[in-house]
């Protein structure tokens, strides 16, 4: 008997080694708005559509969610965004490299400062 039924995630937690670098990437480059939490949880919380991204420091954060060979076919975090062209411009302006989806669909893959692969696709 299942005691828990997951219908929609409330938040996703991501461990990083450098909170300032993560804030620069997620807050400044990707433009995710910060949100407050009612309890004093460490780290930074961002609004991402219907859920929240909780970024927190863990000095021993281990292998990022990527494989150097195939960015999009392995564990990664995916965000639906409104304007992929604006994201490309922001990433290029910040000097961050990205790859377009090999399948031809409107999506791109980029590594955050900790090496985690982030997929950005138009909603």
């Amino acid at each position: 008997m299942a005691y828990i039924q997951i219908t929609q995630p409330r938040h996703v937690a991501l461990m990083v080694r450098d909170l300032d670098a993560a804030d620069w990437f997620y807050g400044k480059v990707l433009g995710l708005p910060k949100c407050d939490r009612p309890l004093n949880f460490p780290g930074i919380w961002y609004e991402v559509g219907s859920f929240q991204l909780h970024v927190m420091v863990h000095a021993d954060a281990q292998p990022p969610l990527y494989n150097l060979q195939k960015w999009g076919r392995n564990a990664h975090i995916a965000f639906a965004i409104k304007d992929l062209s604006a994201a490309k411009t922001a990433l290029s302006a910040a000097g961050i490299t990205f790859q377009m989806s090999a399948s031809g669909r409107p999506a791109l893959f980029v590594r955050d400062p900790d090496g985690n692969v982030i997929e950005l696709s138009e909603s």
Side-chain angles (χ1 to χ4, degrees), residues 14 25-26 30 32 48 51 53 65-66 70-82 84 87 91 97-112 115-123:
L14 179 64
F25 180 79
Y26 291 100
L30 294 186
L32 298 179
V48 185
F51 73 95
L53 175 64
L65 302 172
Y66 76 89
K70 301 175 183 176
W71 284 17
R73 294 191 172 261
N74 294 285
H76 63 278
I77 300 170
F79 295 121
I81 61 174
K82 293 179 184 175
L84 198 59
L91 291 167
T97 60
F98 56 86
Q99 290 182 352
M100 297 301 298
S101 172
S103 69
R105 67 186 174 85
L108 58 93
F109 295 88
V110 61
R111 289 191 182 108
D112 76 1
N116 297 302
V117 171
I118 308 302
E119 176 185 348
L120 303 172
S121 59
E122 284 189 332
S123 56

CSV table of all heavy atoms in Angstrom, one decimal, residues 14 25-26 30 32 48 51 53 65-66 70-82 84 87 91 97-112 115-123:
chain,number,residue,atom,x,y,z
A,14,LEU,N,18.7,21.8,-4.5
A,14,LEU,CA,19.9,21.6,-5.3
A,14,LEU,C,21.1,22.0,-4.4
A,14,LEU,O,21.1,23.1,-3.9
A,14,LEU,CB,19.9,22.5,-6.5
A,14,LEU,CG,21.1,22.4,-7.4
A,14,LEU,CD1,21.3,21.1,-8.0
A,14,LEU,CD2,21.0,23.5,-8.5
A,25,PHE,N,24.2,32.8,-11.2
A,25,PHE,CA,23.7,32.1,-12.4
A,25,PHE,C,22.2,32.0,-12.4
A,25,PHE,O,21.5,32.4,-13.4
A,25,PHE,CB,24.3,30.6,-12.4
A,25,PHE,CG,23.8,29.8,-13.5
A,25,PHE,CD1,24.3,29.9,-14.8
A,25,PHE,CD2,22.8,28.9,-13.3
A,25,PHE,CE1,23.9,29.2,-15.8
A,25,PHE,CE2,22.3,28.1,-14.4
A,25,PHE,CZ,22.9,28.2,-15.6
A,26,TYR,N,21.6,31.6,-11.3
A,26,TYR,CA,20.1,31.4,-11.3
A,26,TYR,C,19.3,32.7,-11.1
A,26,TYR,O,18.3,32.9,-11.8
A,26,TYR,CB,19.7,30.4,-10.1
A,26,TYR,CG,20.1,29.0,-10.4
A,26,TYR,CD1,21.3,28.5,-9.8
A,26,TYR,CD2,19.4,28.2,-11.3
A,26,TYR,CE1,21.7,27.2,-10.1
A,26,TYR,CE2,19.9,26.9,-11.6
A,26,TYR,CZ,21.0,26.4,-11.0
A,26,TYR,OH,21.4,25.2,-11.3
A,30,LEU,N,19.8,33.7,-15.3
A,30,LEU,CA,18.5,33.1,-15.7
A,30,LEU,C,17.4,34.0,-15.3
A,30,LEU,O,16.2,33.8,-15.8
A,30,LEU,CB,18.4,31.7,-15.1
A,30,LEU,CG,19.4,30.7,-15.7
A,30,LEU,CD1,19.0,29.3,-15.1
A,30,LEU,CD2,19.4,30.6,-17.2
A,32,LEU,N,15.7,34.2,-12.4
A,32,LEU,CA,14.7,33.6,-11.5
A,32,LEU,C,14.4,34.5,-10.3
A,32,LEU,O,15.4,34.9,-9.6
A,32,LEU,CB,15.1,32.2,-11.0
A,32,LEU,CG,15.3,31.1,-12.0
A,32,LEU,CD1,15.7,29.8,-11.4
A,32,LEU,CD2,14.0,30.9,-12.8
A,48,VAL,N,9.9,29.2,-9.5
A,48,VAL,CA,10.0,28.7,-10.9
A,48,VAL,C,8.6,28.1,-11.2
A,48,VAL,O,8.3,27.0,-11.0
A,48,VAL,CB,11.1,27.5,-10.9
A,48,VAL,CG1,11.2,27.0,-12.3
A,48,VAL,CG2,12.4,28.0,-10.3
A,51,PHE,N,6.5,25.8,-8.7
A,51,PHE,CA,7.3,25.2,-7.7
A,51,PHE,C,8.4,26.2,-7.3
A,51,PHE,O,8.6,27.2,-7.9
A,51,PHE,CB,7.8,23.8,-8.0
A,51,PHE,CG,8.9,23.7,-9.0
A,51,PHE,CD1,10.2,23.7,-8.6
A,51,PHE,CD2,8.6,23.7,-10.3
A,51,PHE,CE1,11.2,23.6,-9.5
A,51,PHE,CE2,9.6,23.6,-11.3
A,51,PHE,CZ,10.9,23.5,-10.8
A,53,LEU,N,12.7,26.5,-6.4
A,53,LEU,CA,14.0,25.9,-6.4
A,53,LEU,C,14.8,26.3,-5.1
A,53,LEU,O,14.9,27.5,-4.9
A,53,LEU,CB,14.8,26.3,-7.6
A,53,LEU,CG,16.2,25.9,-7.8
A,53,LEU,CD1,16.3,24.4,-7.9
A,53,LEU,CD2,16.9,26.6,-8.9
A,65,LEU,N,25.0,16.8,-12.0
A,65,LEU,CA,24.1,16.0,-12.8
A,65,LEU,C,24.4,16.0,-14.2
A,65,LEU,O,23.6,16.6,-15.0
A,65,LEU,CB,22.7,16.6,-12.5
A,65,LEU,CG,22.2,16.6,-11.1
A,65,LEU,CD1,20.9,17.4,-11.0
A,65,LEU,CD2,22.0,15.2,-10.6
A,66,TYR,N,25.6,15.6,-14.6
A,66,TYR,CA,25.8,15.6,-16.1
A,66,TYR,C,26.8,14.5,-16.5
A,66,TYR,O,27.5,13.9,-15.6
A,66,TYR,CB,26.3,17.0,-16.5
A,66,TYR,CG,27.8,17.3,-16.2
A,66,TYR,CD1,28.8,16.9,-17.0
A,66,TYR,CD2,28.1,17.9,-15.0
A,66,TYR,CE1,30.1,17.2,-16.7
A,66,TYR,CE2,29.4,18.2,-14.6
A,66,TYR,CZ,30.4,17.8,-15.5
A,66,TYR,OH,31.7,18.1,-15.2
A,70,LYS,N,27.1,13.4,-23.2
A,70,LYS,CA,25.7,13.7,-23.7
A,70,LYS,C,25.0,14.5,-22.7
A,70,LYS,O,24.4,14.0,-21.7
A,70,LYS,CB,25.0,12.4,-23.9
A,70,LYS,CG,25.6,11.4,-24.9
A,70,LYS,CD,24.9,10.1,-25.0
A,70,LYS,CE,25.5,9.2,-25.9
A,70,LYS,NZ,24.9,7.9,-26.0
A,71,TRP,N,25.0,15.8,-22.9
A,71,TRP,CA,24.3,16.7,-21.9
A,71,TRP,C,22.9,16.4,-21.6
A,71,TRP,O,22.4,16.3,-20.5
A,71,TRP,CB,24.5,18.1,-22.3
A,71,TRP,CG,25.8,18.7,-22.1
A,71,TRP,CD1,27.0,18.0,-21.9
A,71,TRP,CD2,26.2,20.1,-22.1
A,71,TRP,NE1,28.0,18.9,-21.8
A,71,TRP,CE2,27.6,20.2,-21.9
A,71,TRP,CE3,25.4,21.2,-22.3
A,71,TRP,CZ2,28.2,21.4,-21.9
A,71,TRP,CZ3,26.1,22.4,-22.2
A,71,TRP,CH2,27.5,22.5,-22.0
A,72,GLY,N,22.1,16.2,-22.7
A,72,GLY,CA,20.7,16.1,-22.6
A,72,GLY,C,20.1,14.8,-22.3
A,72,GLY,O,18.9,14.6,-22.1
A,73,ARG,N,20.9,13.7,-22.3
A,73,ARG,CA,20.3,12.3,-22.2
A,73,ARG,C,20.6,11.8,-20.8
A,73,ARG,O,20.4,10.6,-20.5
A,73,ARG,CB,20.9,11.4,-23.2
A,73,ARG,CG,20.5,11.8,-24.6
A,73,ARG,CD,20.8,10.7,-25.6
A,73,ARG,NE,20.2,11.0,-26.9
A,73,ARG,CZ,19.1,10.5,-27.3
A,73,ARG,NH1,18.5,9.6,-26.5
A,73,ARG,NH2,18.6,10.8,-28.5
A,74,ASN,N,21.1,12.6,-19.9
A,74,ASN,CA,21.4,12.1,-18.5
A,74,ASN,C,20.7,13.0,-17.5
A,74,ASN,O,20.0,13.9,-17.9
A,74,ASN,CB,22.9,12.1,-18.3
A,74,ASN,CG,23.6,11.1,-19.2
A,74,ASN,OD1,23.5,9.9,-18.9
A,74,ASN,ND2,24.2,11.5,-20.3
A,75,ALA,N,20.9,12.7,-16.3
A,75,ALA,CA,20.2,13.5,-15.2
A,75,ALA,C,20.5,14.9,-15.4
A,75,ALA,O,21.6,15.4,-15.5
A,75,ALA,CB,20.7,13.0,-13.9
A,76,HIS,N,19.5,15.7,-15.4
A,76,HIS,CA,19.6,17.2,-15.5
A,76,HIS,C,18.3,17.8,-15.0
A,76,HIS,O,17.3,17.2,-14.7
A,76,HIS,CB,19.9,17.6,-16.9
A,76,HIS,CG,18.8,17.3,-17.9
A,76,HIS,ND1,18.6,16.1,-18.5
A,76,HIS,CD2,17.8,18.1,-18.4
A,76,HIS,CE1,17.6,16.1,-19.3
A,76,HIS,NE2,17.0,17.3,-19.2
A,77,ILE,N,18.4,19.1,-14.8
A,77,ILE,CA,17.2,19.9,-14.3
A,77,ILE,C,16.7,20.6,-15.5
A,77,ILE,O,17.4,21.3,-16.2
A,77,ILE,CB,17.6,20.9,-13.2
A,77,ILE,CG1,18.2,20.1,-12.0
A,77,ILE,CG2,16.4,21.7,-12.8
A,77,ILE,CD1,18.8,21.0,-11.0
A,78,ALA,N,15.4,20.5,-15.8
A,78,ALA,CA,14.7,21.2,-16.9
A,78,ALA,C,13.8,22.3,-16.5
A,78,ALA,O,13.0,22.1,-15.6
A,78,ALA,CB,14.0,20.2,-17.8
A,79,PHE,N,13.9,23.5,-17.1
A,79,PHE,CA,13.0,24.6,-16.9
A,79,PHE,C,12.3,25.0,-18.1
A,79,PHE,O,12.9,25.0,-19.2
A,79,PHE,CB,13.8,25.8,-16.4
A,79,PHE,CG,14.5,25.7,-15.1
A,79,PHE,CD1,15.9,25.9,-15.0
A,79,PHE,CD2,13.8,25.4,-13.9
A,79,PHE,CE1,16.5,25.7,-13.8
A,79,PHE,CE2,14.4,25.3,-12.7
A,79,PHE,CZ,15.8,25.5,-12.6
A,80,ALA,N,11.0,25.2,-18.1
A,80,ALA,CA,10.2,25.8,-19.2
A,80,ALA,C,10.3,27.3,-19.0
A,80,ALA,O,10.0,27.8,-18.0
A,80,ALA,CB,8.8,25.3,-19.1
A,81,ILE,N,10.7,28.0,-20.1
A,81,ILE,CA,10.9,29.4,-20.1
A,81,ILE,C,10.0,30.0,-21.2
A,81,ILE,O,9.7,29.4,-22.1
A,81,ILE,CB,12.3,29.8,-20.2
A,81,ILE,CG1,13.0,29.4,-21.5
A,81,ILE,CG2,13.1,29.3,-19.0
A,81,ILE,CD1,14.4,29.9,-21.7
A,82,LYS,N,9.8,31.3,-21.1
A,82,LYS,CA,8.9,32.0,-22.0
A,82,LYS,C,9.7,32.4,-23.3
A,82,LYS,O,9.1,32.4,-24.4
A,82,LYS,CB,8.3,33.3,-21.4
A,82,LYS,CG,7.3,32.9,-20.3
A,82,LYS,CD,6.8,34.2,-19.7
A,82,LYS,CE,5.9,33.8,-18.5
A,82,LYS,NZ,5.4,35.0,-17.8
A,84,LEU,N,13.2,31.8,-25.2
A,84,LEU,CA,14.5,31.1,-25.4
A,84,LEU,C,15.6,32.0,-26.0
A,84,LEU,O,16.7,32.0,-25.7
A,84,LEU,CB,14.4,29.8,-26.3
A,84,LEU,CG,15.5,28.8,-26.2
A,84,LEU,CD1,15.7,28.3,-24.8
A,84,LEU,CD2,15.2,27.6,-27.1
A,87,ALA,N,17.1,34.1,-23.3
A,87,ALA,CA,18.0,33.3,-22.5
A,87,ALA,C,19.3,33.1,-23.2
A,87,ALA,O,20.4,33.2,-22.6
A,87,ALA,CB,17.4,31.9,-22.3
A,91,LEU,N,22.8,34.4,-21.6
A,91,LEU,CA,23.9,33.5,-21.4
A,91,LEU,C,25.2,34.0,-22.2
A,91,LEU,O,26.3,33.9,-21.6
A,91,LEU,CB,23.5,32.1,-21.9
A,91,LEU,CG,22.5,31.4,-21.0
A,91,LEU,CD1,22.0,30.2,-21.7
A,91,LEU,CD2,23.1,31.0,-19.6
A,97,THR,N,28.8,29.3,-22.2
A,97,THR,CA,28.5,28.5,-23.4
A,97,THR,C,27.3,27.6,-23.1
A,97,THR,O,27.0,27.2,-22.0
A,97,THR,CB,29.7,27.6,-23.7
A,97,THR,OG1,30.1,26.8,-22.7
A,97,THR,CG2,30.9,28.5,-24.1
A,98,PHE,N,26.7,27.2,-24.2
A,98,PHE,CA,25.5,26.4,-24.2
A,98,PHE,C,25.4,25.6,-25.4
A,98,PHE,O,26.1,25.9,-26.4
A,98,PHE,CB,24.2,27.2,-24.0
A,98,PHE,CG,24.0,28.2,-25.0
A,98,PHE,CD1,23.3,27.9,-26.2
A,98,PHE,CD2,24.4,29.5,-24.8
A,98,PHE,CE1,23.1,28.9,-27.1
A,98,PHE,CE2,24.2,30.5,-25.7
A,98,PHE,CZ,23.5,30.2,-26.9
A,99,GLN,N,24.7,24.5,-25.4
A,99,GLN,CA,24.4,23.7,-26.6
A,99,GLN,C,23.0,23.7,-26.9
A,99,GLN,O,22.1,23.6,-26.0
A,99,GLN,CB,24.9,22.2,-26.3
A,99,GLN,CG,26.3,22.0,-26.2
A,99,GLN,CD,26.7,20.5,-26.0
A,99,GLN,OE1,25.8,19.7,-25.9
A,99,GLN,NE2,28.0,20.2,-26.0
A,100,MET,N,22.7,23.7,-28.2
A,100,MET,CA,21.3,23.6,-28.6
A,100,MET,C,20.9,22.1,-28.6
A,100,MET,O,21.7,21.3,-28.7
A,100,MET,CB,21.1,24.2,-30.1
A,100,MET,CG,21.4,25.7,-30.2
A,100,MET,SD,20.4,26.7,-29.1
A,100,MET,CE,18.8,26.4,-29.8
A,101,SER,N,19.6,21.9,-28.5
A,101,SER,CA,19.1,20.5,-28.5
A,101,SER,C,19.5,19.8,-29.9
A,101,SER,O,19.3,20.4,-30.9
A,101,SER,CB,17.6,20.5,-28.3
A,101,SER,OG,17.1,19.2,-28.5
A,102,ALA,N,20.1,18.6,-29.8
A,102,ALA,CA,20.4,17.9,-31.0
A,102,ALA,C,19.2,17.4,-31.8
A,102,ALA,O,19.3,17.1,-32.9
A,102,ALA,CB,21.3,16.7,-30.6
A,103,SER,N,18.1,17.3,-31.1
A,103,SER,CA,16.9,16.8,-31.8
A,103,SER,C,16.2,17.9,-32.6
A,103,SER,O,15.3,17.6,-33.4
A,103,SER,CB,15.9,16.3,-30.7
A,103,SER,OG,15.3,17.4,-30.0
A,104,GLY,N,16.6,19.1,-32.5
A,104,GLY,CA,16.0,20.2,-33.3
A,104,GLY,C,14.9,20.9,-32.6
A,104,GLY,O,14.4,21.9,-33.1
A,105,ARG,N,14.5,20.4,-31.5
A,105,ARG,CA,13.4,21.1,-30.7
A,105,ARG,C,13.9,22.3,-30.1
A,105,ARG,O,15.2,22.5,-29.9
A,105,ARG,CB,12.8,20.1,-29.7
A,105,ARG,CG,13.7,19.8,-28.6
A,105,ARG,CD,13.0,18.7,-27.7
A,105,ARG,NE,13.9,18.2,-26.7
A,105,ARG,CZ,14.1,18.8,-25.5
A,105,ARG,NH1,13.4,19.9,-25.2
A,105,ARG,NH2,15.0,18.4,-24.7
A,106,PRO,N,13.1,23.3,-29.8
A,106,PRO,CA,13.6,24.6,-29.2
A,106,PRO,C,14.0,24.4,-27.7
A,106,PRO,O,13.2,24.5,-26.8
A,106,PRO,CB,12.4,25.5,-29.3
A,106,PRO,CG,11.2,24.6,-29.4
A,106,PRO,CD,11.7,23.4,-30.0
A,107,ALA,N,15.2,24.0,-27.5
A,107,ALA,CA,15.8,23.9,-26.2
A,107,ALA,C,17.3,24.0,-26.2
A,107,ALA,O,17.9,23.8,-27.3
A,107,ALA,CB,15.4,22.5,-25.6
A,108,LEU,N,17.9,24.4,-25.1
A,108,LEU,CA,19.3,24.5,-25.0
A,108,LEU,C,19.7,23.9,-23.6
A,108,LEU,O,19.0,23.8,-22.7
A,108,LEU,CB,19.8,25.9,-25.2
A,108,LEU,CG,19.3,27.0,-24.3
A,108,LEU,CD1,20.3,27.2,-23.1
A,108,LEU,CD2,19.2,28.3,-25.1
A,109,PHE,N,21.0,23.5,-23.6
A,109,PHE,CA,21.6,22.9,-22.4
A,109,PHE,C,22.8,23.8,-22.0
A,109,PHE,O,23.6,24.2,-22.8
A,109,PHE,CB,22.0,21.5,-22.7
A,109,PHE,CG,20.9,20.6,-23.0
A,109,PHE,CD1,20.4,20.4,-24.3
A,109,PHE,CD2,20.2,19.9,-22.0
A,109,PHE,CE1,19.3,19.6,-24.6
A,109,PHE,CE2,19.2,19.1,-22.2
A,109,PHE,CZ,18.7,18.9,-23.6
A,110,VAL,N,22.9,24.1,-20.7
A,110,VAL,CA,23.9,24.9,-20.1
A,110,VAL,C,24.3,24.3,-18.8
A,110,VAL,O,23.5,23.7,-18.1
A,110,VAL,CB,23.4,26.3,-20.0
A,110,VAL,CG1,22.2,26.4,-19.1
A,110,VAL,CG2,24.5,27.3,-19.6
A,111,ARG,N,25.6,24.5,-18.4
A,111,ARG,CA,26.1,24.0,-17.1
A,111,ARG,C,26.0,25.2,-16.1
A,111,ARG,O,26.4,26.3,-16.5
A,111,ARG,CB,27.5,23.5,-17.2
A,111,ARG,CG,27.6,22.2,-17.9
A,111,ARG,CD,29.0,21.6,-17.7
A,111,ARG,NE,29.0,20.3,-18.4
A,111,ARG,CZ,29.7,20.2,-19.5
A,111,ARG,NH1,30.4,21.1,-20.0
A,111,ARG,NH2,29.7,19.0,-20.1
A,112,ASP,N,25.5,25.0,-14.9
A,112,ASP,CA,25.6,26.0,-13.9
A,112,ASP,C,27.0,26.0,-13.3
A,112,ASP,O,27.9,25.2,-13.7
A,112,ASP,CB,24.5,25.8,-12.8
A,112,ASP,CG,24.8,24.6,-11.8
A,112,ASP,OD1,25.8,24.0,-11.9
A,112,ASP,OD2,23.9,24.4,-11.0
A,115,GLY,N,28.5,22.7,-12.4
A,115,GLY,CA,28.6,21.7,-13.4
A,115,GLY,C,27.3,21.0,-13.7
A,115,GLY,O,27.2,20.1,-14.5
A,116,ASN,N,26.2,21.3,-12.9
A,116,ASN,CA,24.9,20.6,-13.2
A,116,ASN,C,24.4,21.1,-14.5
A,116,ASN,O,24.5,22.3,-14.9
A,116,ASN,CB,23.9,21.0,-12.1
A,116,ASN,CG,24.4,20.6,-10.7
A,116,ASN,OD1,24.6,19.4,-10.5
A,116,ASN,ND2,24.5,21.5,-9.8
A,117,VAL,N,23.8,20.2,-15.3
A,117,VAL,CA,23.2,20.5,-16.6
A,117,VAL,C,21.8,21.0,-16.4
A,117,VAL,O,21.0,20.4,-15.7
A,117,VAL,CB,23.3,19.3,-17.5
A,117,VAL,CG1,22.5,19.6,-18.8
A,117,VAL,CG2,24.7,19.0,-17.9
A,118,ILE,N,21.6,22.2,-16.9
A,118,ILE,CA,20.2,22.8,-16.9
A,118,ILE,C,19.7,22.8,-18.3
A,118,ILE,O,20.4,23.3,-19.3
A,118,ILE,CB,20.4,24.3,-16.4
A,118,ILE,CG1,21.1,24.3,-15.0
A,118,ILE,CG2,19.0,24.9,-16.3
A,118,ILE,CD1,20.5,23.5,-13.9
A,119,GLU,N,18.5,22.3,-18.5
A,119,GLU,CA,17.8,22.4,-19.8
A,119,GLU,C,16.8,23.5,-19.8
A,119,GLU,O,16.0,23.6,-18.9
A,119,GLU,CB,17.1,21.1,-20.1
A,119,GLU,CG,16.3,21.1,-21.4
A,119,GLU,CD,15.5,19.9,-21.7
A,119,GLU,OE1,15.7,18.9,-21.0
A,119,GLU,OE2,14.6,20.0,-22.6
A,120,LEU,N,16.9,24.4,-20.8
A,120,LEU,CA,15.9,25.5,-20.9
A,120,LEU,C,15.2,25.2,-22.2
A,120,LEU,O,15.7,25.1,-23.3
A,120,LEU,CB,16.7,26.8,-21.0
A,120,LEU,CG,17.6,27.2,-19.9
A,120,LEU,CD1,18.4,28.4,-20.2
A,120,LEU,CD2,16.8,27.3,-18.6
A,121,SER,N,13.8,25.1,-22.1
A,121,SER,CA,13.0,24.9,-23.3
A,121,SER,C,11.8,25.8,-23.2
A,121,SER,O,11.4,26.2,-22.1
A,121,SER,CB,12.5,23.4,-23.4
A,121,SER,OG,11.8,23.1,-22.2
A,122,GLU,N,11.3,26.2,-24.3
A,122,GLU,CA,10.2,27.2,-24.4
A,122,GLU,C,8.9,26.5,-23.9
A,122,GLU,O,8.7,25.4,-24.3
A,122,GLU,CB,10.0,27.7,-25.8
A,122,GLU,CG,11.1,28.8,-26.1
A,122,GLU,CD,10.8,29.5,-27.4
A,122,GLU,OE1,10.2,29.0,-28.3
A,122,GLU,OE2,11.2,30.7,-27.4
A,123,SER,N,8.2,27.2,-23.1
A,123,SER,CA,6.9,26.7,-22.6
A,123,SER,C,5.8,26.9,-23.6
A,123,SER,O,5.9,27.6,-24.5
A,123,SER,CB,6.6,27.4,-21.3
A,123,SER,OG,6.5,28.8,-21.4
